[in-house]
Amino acid sequence: MVASIRNITISNKDEILALHVAKAQEGFIETTQECLEEAGENANFVPVGLYVDDIPVGFAMYGAFQDEKEGQRVWLDRFLIDSHYQGKGYGRLFLEQLIQHLIAKYQCKKIYLSVYDNNKHAIHLYQQYGFFFTGELDTKGEKVMVKDISN
């Protein structure tokens, strides 16, 4: 099994657009279509496909954004595993890969994300990888979590 993070191009865009979370999770994250549209409007966003061998199993979107206090914040802004591939360990696999990818790309000391407080499965996963709540809320009312890599 080869797990990879791939850029989204004309050749794989349709298979990325076909990825969907389970019905019960739809309120937690935007669709891949909405994410790609947002990335088209803001060049700071980097959308990527998450692949096992040559099968797309998930999607993520990240970026570095200016911050008054820290100068720059690196965000793992979107992260999903398609409903057909959930429960197989891909969330853990790709969260770990994404963390390493962001550290290498941005040489960051912290990685931020936000989550709705009723998304218990995601919170549990993020906490297992060292993310903790900052006490902040994002613009949509989601709770901000951070992973401090410098510790």
Side-chain angles (χ1 to χ4, degrees):
M1 174 182 77
V2 177
S4 60
I5 299 170
R6 299 184 188 176
N7 291 331
I8 297 174
T9 65
I10 291 291
S11 63
N12 69 350
K13 184 178 177 182
D14 287 342
E15 61 192 25
I16 295 302
L17 290 172
L19 298 172
H20 298 283
V21 295
K23 274 276 188 221
Q25 299 166 326
E26 288 177 353
F28 296 142
I29 190 167
E30 293 81 355
T31 66
T32 54
Q33 176 71 44
E34 292 168 322
C35 293
L36 293 180
E37 288 171 5
E38 191 172 359
E41 296 167 3
N42 185 333
N44 288 346
F45 285 121
V46 179
V48 292
L50 308 176
Y51 285 77
V52 173
D53 297 322
D54 284 325
I55 300 167
V57 301
F59 172 84
M61 193 162 78
Y62 59 81
F65 298 86
Q66 287 303 112
D67 180 73
E68 291 176 10
K69 298 176 200 165
E70 298 175 44
Q72 173 179 277
R73 281 189 175 187
V74 173
W75 284 84
L76 176 54
D77 198 65
R78 311 283 161 68
F79 177 53
L80 69 86
I81 301 298
D82 183 81
S83 62
H84 296 100
Y85 299 100
Q86 292 180 5
K88 300 177 188 297
Y90 295 137
R92 294 180 198 291
L93 173 70
F94 282 110
L95 181 57
E96 191 168 316
Q97 279 197 357
L98 285 162
I99 289 167
Q100 295 309 312
H101 181 78
L102 294 175
I103 292 168
K105 181 169 182 148
Y106 297 107
Q107 293 80 48
C108 57
K109 300 293 183 204
K110 295 180 180 178
I111 298 172
Y112 291 84
L113 57 80
S114 60
V115 62
Y116 287 108
D117 61 357
N118 59 341
N119 191 349
K120 302 298 184 198
H121 291 291
I123 291 168
H124 181 71
L125 175 64
Y126 298 144
Q127 287 174 330
Q128 287 180 323
Y129 282 84
F131 286 87
F132 58 90
F133 289 106
T134 66
E136 298 172 74
L137 296 177
D138 75 0
T139 57
K140 298 178 191 167
E142 294 178 70
K143 292 184 174 183
V144 174
M145 298 182 84
V146 66
K147 177 177 178 63
D148 191 340
I149 290 102
S150 62
N151 291 339

